[in-house]
Short mmCIF file of all heavy atoms in Angstrom, two decimals:
data_model
loop_
_atom_site.label_atom_id
_atom_site.label_comp_id
_atom_site.label_asym_id
_atom_site.label_seq_id
_atom_site.Cartn_x
_atom_site.Cartn_y
_atom_site.Cartn_z
N PRO A 66 -39.09 291.21 -139.35
CA PRO A 66 -38.53 292.34 -138.61
C PRO A 66 -37.23 291.97 -137.92
O PRO A 66 -37.13 290.90 -137.33
CB PRO A 66 -39.62 292.66 -137.57
CG PRO A 66 -40.35 291.37 -137.41
CD PRO A 66 -40.32 290.71 -138.75
N PRO A 67 -36.21 292.83 -138.00
CA PRO A 67 -34.96 292.54 -137.31
C PRO A 67 -35.20 292.35 -135.81
O PRO A 67 -35.90 293.14 -135.19
CB PRO A 67 -34.10 293.78 -137.59
CG PRO A 67 -34.68 294.35 -138.84
CD PRO A 67 -36.15 294.08 -138.76
N ALA A 68 -34.60 291.30 -135.26
CA ALA A 68 -34.78 291.02 -133.84
C ALA A 68 -33.60 291.51 -133.02
O ALA A 68 -33.50 291.24 -131.84
CB ALA A 68 -34.96 289.51 -133.64
N GLY A 69 -32.69 292.21 -133.65
CA GLY A 69 -31.51 292.69 -132.92
C GLY A 69 -30.51 293.24 -133.92
O GLY A 69 -30.87 293.74 -134.98
N ASN A 70 -29.23 293.10 -133.60
CA ASN A 70 -28.19 293.62 -134.49
C ASN A 70 -27.83 292.64 -135.60
O ASN A 70 -27.03 292.98 -136.49
CB ASN A 70 -26.93 293.96 -133.67
CG ASN A 70 -27.20 295.09 -132.69
OD1 ASN A 70 -27.96 296.00 -132.99
ND2 ASN A 70 -26.57 295.01 -131.53
N HIS A 71 -28.33 291.43 -135.52
CA HIS A 71 -28.02 290.43 -136.54
C HIS A 71 -29.15 289.41 -136.56
O HIS A 71 -29.97 289.35 -135.66
CB HIS A 71 -26.69 289.74 -136.23
CG HIS A 71 -26.72 288.95 -134.95
ND1 HIS A 71 -26.58 289.55 -133.72
CD2 HIS A 71 -26.90 287.63 -134.70
CE1 HIS A 71 -26.66 288.62 -132.77
NE2 HIS A 71 -26.87 287.45 -133.33
N TYR A 72 -29.16 288.59 -137.61
CA TYR A 72 -30.16 287.53 -137.70
C TYR A 72 -29.59 286.24 -137.15
O TYR A 72 -28.43 285.90 -137.38
CB TYR A 72 -30.60 287.34 -139.16
CG TYR A 72 -31.27 288.57 -139.73
CD1 TYR A 72 -30.67 289.30 -140.73
CD2 TYR A 72 -32.48 289.00 -139.22
CE1 TYR A 72 -31.26 290.45 -141.23
CE2 TYR A 72 -33.08 290.15 -139.71
CZ TYR A 72 -32.48 290.87 -140.70
OH TYR A 72 -33.06 292.00 -141.18
N THR A 73 -30.42 285.51 -136.41
CA THR A 73 -29.97 284.24 -135.84
C THR A 73 -29.96 283.18 -136.92
O THR A 73 -30.56 283.33 -137.99
CB THR A 73 -30.89 283.79 -134.70
OG1 THR A 73 -32.18 283.44 -135.25
CG2 THR A 73 -31.06 284.89 -133.67
N GLY A 74 -29.29 282.07 -136.63
CA GLY A 74 -29.27 280.96 -137.57
C GLY A 74 -30.66 280.45 -137.88
O GLY A 74 -30.97 280.08 -139.02
N MET A 75 -31.51 280.42 -136.85
CA MET A 75 -32.87 279.93 -137.06
C MET A 75 -33.64 280.84 -138.01
O MET A 75 -34.38 280.38 -138.88
CB MET A 75 -33.60 279.80 -135.72
CG MET A 75 -34.89 278.98 -135.81
SD MET A 75 -35.71 278.79 -134.19
CE MET A 75 -34.47 277.89 -133.28
N GLN A 76 -33.48 282.16 -137.85
CA GLN A 76 -34.15 283.10 -138.76
C GLN A 76 -33.68 282.89 -140.19
O GLN A 76 -34.49 282.88 -141.13
CB GLN A 76 -33.87 284.54 -138.32
CG GLN A 76 -34.58 284.94 -137.05
CD GLN A 76 -34.12 286.30 -136.56
OE1 GLN A 76 -32.93 286.62 -136.58
NE2 GLN A 76 -35.06 287.11 -136.11
N LEU A 77 -32.38 282.72 -140.39
CA LEU A 77 -31.85 282.51 -141.73
C LEU A 77 -32.35 281.19 -142.31
O LEU A 77 -32.60 281.09 -143.52
CB LEU A 77 -30.32 282.54 -141.69
CG LEU A 77 -29.70 283.90 -141.32
CD1 LEU A 77 -28.19 283.78 -141.22
CD2 LEU A 77 -30.08 284.96 -142.34
N ASP A 78 -32.49 280.17 -141.47
CA ASP A 78 -33.04 278.90 -141.93
C ASP A 78 -34.46 279.09 -142.44
O ASP A 78 -34.85 278.52 -143.48
CB ASP A 78 -33.03 277.87 -140.80
CG ASP A 78 -31.64 277.33 -140.51
OD1 ASP A 78 -30.74 277.53 -141.36
OD2 ASP A 78 -31.45 276.72 -139.45
N PHE A 79 -35.27 279.86 -141.71
CA PHE A 79 -36.65 280.11 -142.14
C PHE A 79 -36.67 280.83 -143.48
O PHE A 79 -37.42 280.47 -144.38
CB PHE A 79 -37.39 280.96 -141.10
CG PHE A 79 -37.84 280.18 -139.89
CD1 PHE A 79 -37.72 280.73 -138.62
CD2 PHE A 79 -38.42 278.93 -140.01
CE1 PHE A 79 -38.13 280.03 -137.50
CE2 PHE A 79 -38.84 278.23 -138.90
CZ PHE A 79 -38.69 278.77 -137.64
N ILE A 80 -35.85 281.86 -143.60
CA ILE A 80 -35.82 282.64 -144.84
C ILE A 80 -35.44 281.75 -146.02
O ILE A 80 -36.10 281.76 -147.07
CB ILE A 80 -34.85 283.82 -144.72
CG1 ILE A 80 -35.37 284.83 -143.69
CG2 ILE A 80 -34.65 284.51 -146.07
CD1 ILE A 80 -34.36 285.91 -143.32
N GLY A 81 -34.40 280.95 -145.85
CA GLY A 81 -33.97 280.05 -146.91
C GLY A 81 -35.03 279.04 -147.28
O GLY A 81 -35.24 278.74 -148.47
N SER A 82 -35.72 278.51 -146.29
CA SER A 82 -36.74 277.49 -146.56
C SER A 82 -37.93 278.07 -147.32
O SER A 82 -38.51 277.42 -148.20
CB SER A 82 -37.22 276.83 -145.26
OG SER A 82 -37.96 277.73 -144.46
#
Side-chain angles (χ1 to χ4, degrees):
N70 296 324
H71 64 280
Y72 297 113
T73 68
M75 194 178 297
Q76 289 172 318
L77 294 176
D78 286 345
F79 283 138
I80 293 170
S82 69

